[in-house]
Amino acid sequence: MAIDLENLKHAPKELGIHELIGKRWSPRSYTEQPVSDADLKTIFTAAGWAASSSNIQPWRFIVGRRGEETYDKIFDALASGNQSWVKTVPVLVASVAAKFMPAKDGEAPRPHEWAKHDVGAASATMCLQAIALGIHTHGMAGFDRELIRANFNIPEDFEPVAVWAIGYLGSPDALPDNYKKMETTPRERKPLDQYVFKHWNEPAKL
């Protein structure tokens, strides 16, 4: 029997959030269908229009397609568990954050305390633009940051943040059993009273 991933993974319509946000989730099963240059350009252009502290735009994205050396270098840095399902993903991306604010008037550069926040904002915007194009994404923390740094000669004033899979949704049946179970389990989110406060741990009345 076909699995209704829309009902399992999409946010309930009665929540009233935008359709793009409701449809965004992080699958592990992808087809090998390539993502076009035009769609990738649109996705990363959207990322570049995310909110950015002082408009510094500290994000960098290293993009590789299956069959390219860049893809292989990102793949090699992934944890083995991620490698087990990523094999069919057509695009892998490493996100990187600038660690320092631009120096002004000969001053020493100051640490950019909000850089990872801004890279996260750009990544979220990237994901929503992808969903608008019928493309899914999955962010991963399970990777070797120093291997990513070495593989791409990333300088010390930048820091690898995450790895992203980008591609078209595949069948859960293609996954190993443990990941298939995750793929077919309904998504849940914490209720607002657990993270929207009037005072610390005192829920806001919304």
Side-chain angles (χ1 to χ4, degrees):
M1 187 171 74
I3 298 169
D4 187 354
L5 289 175
E6 180 171 344
N7 285 330
L8 281 174
K9 298 299 186 180
H10 292 186
K13 289 183 172 62
E14 56 266 26
L15 293 178
I17 63 177
H18 195 281
E19 180 182 19
L20 287 179
I21 300 170
K23 286 183 174 181
R24 189 223 61 80
W25 64 287
S26 302
R28 289 180 173 85
S29 182
Y30 290 83
T31 71
E32 296 182 5
Q33 178 183 347
V35 179
S36 71
D37 289 351
D39 283 347
L40 284 177
K41 182 177 181 180
T42 300
I43 286 168
F44 288 107
T45 298
W49 283 90
S52 171
S53 175
S54 300
N55 199 28
I56 289 171
Q57 303 170 48
W59 46 75
R60 305 292 188 273
F61 296 99
I62 301 172
V63 184
R65 294 178 175 79
R66 284 184 79 227
E68 295 179 346
E69 182 182 14
T70 298
Y71 184 104
D72 293 340
K73 287 181 175 180
I74 298 174
F75 182 89
D76 288 346
L78 290 174
S80 59
N82 286 328
Q83 287 181 342
S84 70
W85 61 263
V86 156
K87 296 174 182 177
T88 59
V89 170
V91 179
L92 288 177
V93 176
S95 63
V96 181
K99 294 166 66 174
F100 298 95
M101 308 279 276
K104 294 182 179 180
D105 300 326
E107 297 177 356
R110 293 179 292 117
H112 192 333
E113 298 179 11
W114 308 275
K116 288 183 180 179
H117 173 278
D118 288 4
V119 172
S123 298
T125 306
M126 170 188 80
C127 294
L128 294 178
Q129 180 61 60
I131 283 293
L133 296 170
I135 297 167
H136 280 78
T137 58
H138 186 119
M140 291 168 273
F143 70 99
D144 186 327
R145 286 162 176 76
E146 291 312 308
L147 185 53
I148 285 283
R149 180 184 301 282
N151 282 348
F152 295 105
N153 297 316
I154 297 171
E156 287 297 325
D157 53 347
F158 284 83
E159 181 175 2
V161 177
V163 170
W164 289 88
I166 299 179
Y168 293 94
L169 184 64
S171 169
D173 292 333
L175 293 169
D177 287 343
N178 58 325
Y179 288 130
K180 180 178 178 180
K181 184 177 180 180
M182 293 180 187
E183 201 86 342
T184 56
T185 299
R187 276 202 308 159
E188 296 179 350
R189 284 294 187 266
K190 294 178 181 179
L192 292 181
D193 62 9
Q194 291 188 20
Y195 64 91
V196 182
F197 302 149
K198 180 178 181 180
H199 298 290
W200 191 250
N201 280 341
E202 180 183 339
K205 295 180 179 178
L206 300 177

